[in-house]
Structures are given as C-alpha cells and as structure tokens.
Amino acid sequence: MSGIADVARAAGVSKSTASRALTGRGYVSEHTRSRVRDAAERLGYVASTNAASLVTGRTHNIALIVPRVNRWYFGSVIEGVERSLISAGFDLTLFVAEPDSRDRESLYAHFLARKRFDGVLAVALEPDDDDIERLRDYGKPFLHIGNELPGITTLGVDNFVIGRMMTEHLLTLGHTDIAFLGRTPPSEPSARDVDDRSAGYLAAMTEAGLAGSARLEPATLTLPDGYAAAASLLADRTSRPSGIVAACDEIGIGTIIAARRLGIAVPAQLSVVAVDGHDYADMFTLTTIEQDPAAQGEEAVRLLLEQIAGADARPVRHSAPARLVVRASTAPPAHTLAAV
Amino acid sequence: MSGIADVARAAGVSKSTASRALTGRGYVSEHTRSRVRDAAERLGYVASTNAASLVTGRTHNIALIVPRVNRWYFGSVIEGVERSLISAGFDLTLFVAEPDSRDRESLYAHFLARKRFDGVLAVALEPDDDDIERLRDYGKPFLHIGNELPGITTLGVDNFVIGRMMTEHLLTLGHTDIAFLGRTPPSEPSARDVDDRSAGYLAAMTEAGLAGSARLEPATLTLPDGYAAAASLLADRTSRPSGIVAACDEIGIGTIIAARRLGIAVPAQLSVVAVDGHDYADMFTLTTIEQDPAAQGEEAVRLLLEQIAGADARPVRHSAPARLVVRASTAPPAHTLAAV
DNA sequence: TTGAAAGCGGTACCAC
DNA sequence: GTGGTACCGCTTTCAA
C-alpha cells in the first residue's frame, strides 16, 4: 500500500508536485505529470480518500435515505442513484429508515452528523417530517425525491395530476361508478403521494359531477394487501364499481388477480387503472401511468452533483414525466357495450 | 462545527484527555470524563470519522456488493444488513454490479481500492468470478452471502439439499412426472445456486428411479418469465407434468398464475413447489422452502464484525436454515385421488 | 514550474 | 491520571 510519498520518490519529485500532477490542480509540466502518472500506475497507487477529505472537506460520497429497500419504487430509485453515482466517481452510503422510526432518530443523531458525505438524497419524506429541517440545516446540498416540499429542491411526478389522469381515463371510457383503492389505512402513517393521488381522483370525480359516488377504499401499497382489499370490495356484486383507480401498480395487479378469482372479467366487467410502470404491469396487461423511478434517481444525482459543484441552490421543483400506457385492463363499462 | 480542541478547551483539559474521555480508551478520572462529556454535549461535538480513521485505520464502514437491488432476495439481504449495521454503529456503502459487468471493473479498480471500509460483504458471487481473489487479497475481512466458495467464509442455504427437498416433497405425495422450471437459459450467465437446486432435483429423481423422466426447463428468476415459461410448458396437456419444482418463488407464482389462466387447477391437476419464502407466497398459497435473506444479512454482519474485531478468520461455511412450508399448491396427483 | 512546510482533526505514545 | 507532541496521508499556501 504505497502512499503519495512513495509515488513522489519513485518519480523523483516532491509530494506537492506529485499531488498536483495527480489531482490536476495547479501547474505541472506535461513531462513531470506523465512521469508521476507512470510511477503511480506502477505502484498501484490509490489516494486515501480519508486523508484527502480531511483537508479538502470533500468526501466524494453521497448519503441516500430511503424508507424501504424491498419495494419496486424504492429499489428502482436506488439502482438509478447508484448507477449515476458510480459513473461520477462517487460512493453511496445507504440509510434505511421509515420516517419517524427509532432508527431514524439514531440516523440523524449519529450517522448524518458525522457529515461523511458531500450531499444528501432523501426519498419519500413527509411534509411534517421533523427531519427536513435538520437535513436542510446540515448545510450540505440536499434534494428530495418525491412530492414537493417547501424550501427544498425536490424531484418527482405530480401525484395530483396522476390521480386525475387515471380517473379521467375511466371517465372518458364512460365509467361513472369508480372507486379509488389504496387510501392509506388509519393504522398506517399518512403518505402524501397517496393523498395527492386520491385528491386528484376526487377532483376529477367532482368535475364530472360524480362527487356523490366517489369512494376511497383503504389498502397499503402492496400486492397482497391490494388483493385482499379488492377481494372484499368486489365481493358484493350489487355495490361493485365498474372501474377502479388503484393507488399503485401493486394494488392494481392485486385487484386484477382478485377479480379473476371472483370470476369478474377484466376489462369486460371491471376496468382497472393504476400508476407506476411496475415490472409486472405488462404481464397483467395493466393500464397504468408509467413513471421511471430509476431515471428519477439518475436525474436527482445529476442535480445534486451540480449543487455540490457550486450551482445555484435555490429550492426548485423538478417535475418528473409520467405517461398513460393503455393496456387491456381498461375498457368501456359493460352497460355501454350492451347499449351499442 | 466544533472540534475536539474546542471541547478540550471548554472542559479545561488537553486534547489527549478529551480524546480519552470520549473514546473510552485509556485512563481518565470519572470526574474529568463527565466534564468532558458535558462539554462535548453542550457544543454538539461529533468526532470526524475521517480524522479518526486516518490514524486508527478503522472506518466504521462496510462495503456491500450486490448484483441487483430490485429483487426480493437481494432487497431483503440489504435490509437485514443495513439494520444490523446501523445498530452496531457502522455505515453501509452500497455497490451494485452484476458479476463480470463493466461496472464491476471500475468498482474494483477505483472504489474498493480506496479501502474506505473495514470489511466487505458480497452477495451471489459466482465461483469463477475473478473478483473473488481480488476481494480476498484486499486483506480486509470478507464474507460471501450465497453458495460455498473455496477459501473464503460464506453464509447461505444449501441449494442442493433444497432442490432435493422440493422434489422429495412431490415424490412423497406420489408424483412421478415432475419438471424443474427455472434452469438458467443459455443466454444468461450461469448461476451456481440455480445449478445446485436443479442438481438436487436430478439427484432425487434419480434416486427415485425417475431419471428418465426428469427435465429441466429454462426460465430466468422473475415472475413474468416464470409465467411465460410455465404457460408454454403447460400448454400441451399430453406432455404436461403433474408436478413442478420451481427454481424460486417468483417462478412458482408465475406458474400458478399461468396454470389458472389455462384452466389447470392447482393443486388438483398440478402441484407447484418452490423456494424462497417470498412476500407473495402466502397469497398464492404456494408451498415453498422458506429461507430468510434478511436474517442471513444480519448474521453475515455479525460474523463480519467479529472478524473485524479480530476473531479467527479461517474460511468457514455457515449454513443458513431453510424449512418446508406446505400450503395449498401441492397435493397428491390426480390419478392417485382417482384410485382412492 | 517546483519544493518545503503547515495543517486538516483526531489518536496514541511517552514523560510527567 | 494528565498533558505535550508526533504523526496518520494528503492538499495547499508560499517562497524559491
């Protein structure tokens, strides 16, 4: 394990010259530079980031805070972030902690306080999250992937618009009895993204003069729970809606599976629209509003690195794209067809 | 941002005494210790890990290398690792790189070479992976989560035994026409764990005198691909097996879905057994060999931290538990029932 | 264009 | 039990 002193000696120059040659900061003659480079190569020299950080204050390391790993959305974001970080020469330190959990507390008290990173990326923060202020006050570049948050730079899809788009898709097809499936159950911490989606749904229903028949059914954002919730919602054929707006693809897929098991034909007797663009959506021919969380992760890294490099750091909202992909889980309602 | 010098001054002691009081190494009177602690608290002092690492050589950071994030098994491992790391006061640096990928190369050349960690955890390495030697030669504690590998400490389930258990479960129920679904397709890099599972299947079939009817059908380890492969395998009712051993739960679930769509009753007309203990297994009433990747991650951290603390580092194989959970996707084959 | 020397923020040795 | 001081490995003035 050779240090820069060894490299300098091997190249016949001083430590300072070696440092300049290797980092590219400061004047070094072309000839010297290449000699130093060769020596470094030969010795297998790799700079100690620790030592460098100690003096420069830069760590080439980003902290990423996610509530969970094992969920499609978060996993995709992590992959996107990691990918662009590594190609930028940065390390990724991962923290997993649900908002308001005990882990969260120690995270802020001990880990982030060490400031062993140049910037922070957080995913799916809630507006009332105490941590937001703390993160902002660390004074390091900080960016949120998820909904808009006051005072900080954020990146994400517009969930209100998405809720509305999903609903309007069904309305346009002629549905009038449309339920929203995936409202956060009372037992769970509230989630802003879901709330915004359901708000979009309600707005669209209201505009269509259907406020009276709007209903928000609870379910957590998982396939099994979506399945269970759909199964109980669809069990009673008299109250069954003709269209379901699902809070995410996992719920949408759970709904499709539940419908099949109950002998309800999709889309003939039931239309299902969801949002995400999950890997499984195509297999279940799910009509969905696709977003690209990996791309959001990459874009977030780009923006964060810009800030680290000194770009303007005023809080901005960056809107991530989302587009409707129509598959075979949505169609006009049965009575419409009958009328034709 | 106060340093230890500020703390020392505030407590009226020297830097060395402050350091001893705070780190707990060396003698300090109780009285002094508490005064220093108070001062540190008051000033919001947090030690710079960088500076400490520079002199101690310890970073309190672990590198975790996974091929993917967004798959149930890997995601669960990551969560387990993160959880126990954080409670041990360690940071997690995450690297995502498929074996033999280009990312992999830069990972070793640039990132791991910086040695900014006290140990390395790698998941799902292949035996012919060039990186294994490199990792071992870094001289840092190194542990593999996955199959056994020569010369290094590993932790994981015994996939051969699992393949055999799955098959024997079906054999015991009376099945004789059993296919293995999930052999690695030729287009994919070979995967040792899958190979071991299929080898266990073949061994069990051979022992039962059924080597002639054994077959290995290709599929990647994803639900959509398991679905597609099962759909084509099951389409021809004349050649359809009565039992399927799936290489993982995703494939098993895909198979169940395919069977339902083809109108094949599970388990009456088709038994499906798989392995993993995926979150969705229960919902699909899938009989499976459960393993606990999060627990494996936690255990791996425990072992690694022991090594870092100086424990014996001779390579050992740690076997992770796996147990058969019988649900409603397996039953005696139809002809058996008919005979009763 | 290059080199000497001062420190970044701690820890650890040694003498007191 | 405590303080002085060298030093971890690098970057960065400043002078030559």
Side-chain angles (χ1 to χ4, degrees), chain B residues 164-244:
Chain B
R164 174 177 238 135
M165 281 171 68
M166 292 193 281
T167 314
E168 283 171 353
H169 172 63
L170 295 183
L171 289 168
T172 303
L173 287 170
H175 291 267
T176 53
D177 190 1
I178 305 171
F180 181 92
L181 184 56
R183 188 198 79 207
T184 307
S187 58
E188 301 284 315
S190 73
R192 171 76 183 286
D193 47 4
V194 173
D195 293 348
D196 285 353
R197 287 172 189 176
S198 62
Y201 155 83
L202 287 175
M205 290 296 275
T206 304
E207 279 160 28
L210 296 169
S213 73
R215 32 182 173 152
L216 303 176
E217 304 290 339
T220 65
L221 305 179
T222 65
L223 203 159
D225 209 54
Y227 169 79
S232 79
L233 173 65
L234 299 174
D236 180 355
R237 52 186 341 124
T238 66
S239 69
R240 180 205 302 164
S242 74
I244 286 186

Side-chain angles (χ1 to χ4, degrees), chain A residues 232-303:
Chain A
S232 79
L233 173 65
L234 300 174
D236 181 357
R237 53 187 340 126
T238 65
S239 69
R240 181 205 302 164
S242 74
I244 286 186
V245 171
C248 69
D249 279 356
E250 279 99 332
I251 292 181
I253 292 166
T255 302
I256 290 177
I257 295 172
R260 280 205 198 119
R261 292 208 192 164
L262 291 168
I264 301 166
V266 174
Q269 296 171 275
L270 179 74
S271 281
V272 181
V273 60
V275 47
D276 266 348
H278 192 286
D279 295 340
Y280 297 172
D282 191 53
M283 161 178 166
F284 289 94
T285 63
L286 177 67
T287 294
T288 192
I289 313 264
E290 277 192 0
Q291 63 170 325
D292 188 342
Q296 290 167 29
E298 295 180 2
E299 175 70 359
V301 166
R302 205 181 59 69
L303 293 166

Side-chain angles (χ1 to χ4, degrees), chain A residues 49-50 53 59 68-70 72 76 79 82 90-94 111 114 116 223 260-261 283, chain B residues 49-50 53 59 68-70 72 76 79 82 90-94 111 114 116 223 260-261 283:
Chain A
T49 338
N50 263 327
S53 303
T59 63
R68 289 290 310 273
V69 174
N70 218 340
W72 176 81
S76 303
E79 290 194 350
E82 221 280 333
F90 275 68
D91 280 349
L92 169 64
T93 300
L94 181 70
F111 290 81
R114 300 209 280 243
R116 207 157 31 167
L223 202 158
R260 280 205 198 119
R261 292 208 192 164
M283 161 178 166
Chain B
T49 337
N50 264 328
S53 303
T59 63
R68 290 287 311 274
V69 173
N70 218 339
W72 176 81
S76 303
E79 290 195 350
E82 222 281 332
F90 275 67
D91 280 349
L92 170 64
T93 301
L94 182 71
F111 290 81
R114 299 207 282 241
R116 201 152 43 160
L223 203 159
R260 279 203 198 120
R261 292 207 195 164
M283 159 178 168

